[in-house]
Amino acid sequence: MTTIKVPMELRDRISQFAKSQHTTMAGAVERAFDLAETEAFWAEFRATMLTPEARADILRETEELEGTIGDGLEPEDWSEYE
């Protein structure tokens, strides 16, 4: 356990949010940080994977792997597990 210094206004905001979410202040900060990490991940994904070059790479790889879909084996009956 440690202590961090934040402005009183921020502490009050965290406290209010925590109460509204029925959690502790630590839980509220953790949730907010988790959300920020998730948003940063998807922003990075969009910045790198949705470029024209990345889409061209994905399309090329998809075309290369298309022939591997059919492995020549007979279909298996999985109906008893549905």
Side-chain angles (χ1 to χ4, degrees):
M1 189 74 66
T2 190
T3 302
I4 60 171
K5 292 186 179 193
V6 297
M8 288 177 59
E9 295 82 15
L10 178 56
R11 183 210 53 203
D12 293 345
R13 286 178 58 204
I14 295 168
S15 179
Q16 272 188 307
F17 183 74
K19 286 177 187 173
S20 74
Q21 298 297 304
H22 307 288
T23 189
T24 63
M25 289 175 66
V29 170
E30 184 174 17
R31 287 181 188 177
F33 192 73
D34 288 346
L35 179 59
E37 283 182 321
T38 299
E39 288 177 2
F41 170 83
W42 288 112
E44 175 74 16
F45 173 84
R46 286 188 296 275
T48 58
M49 295 304 293
L50 299 182
T51 64
E53 297 83 10
R55 286 196 303 237
D57 287 345
I58 291 169
L59 181 58
R60 187 182 76 267
E61 186 175 299
T62 300
E63 290 170 353
E64 288 174 5
L65 295 174
E66 244 176 27
T68 64
I69 292 173
D71 57 13
L73 299 175
E74 293 295 321
E76 295 181 20
D77 180 12
W78 289 81
S79 60
E80 68 182 87
Y81 302 106
E82 294 176 353

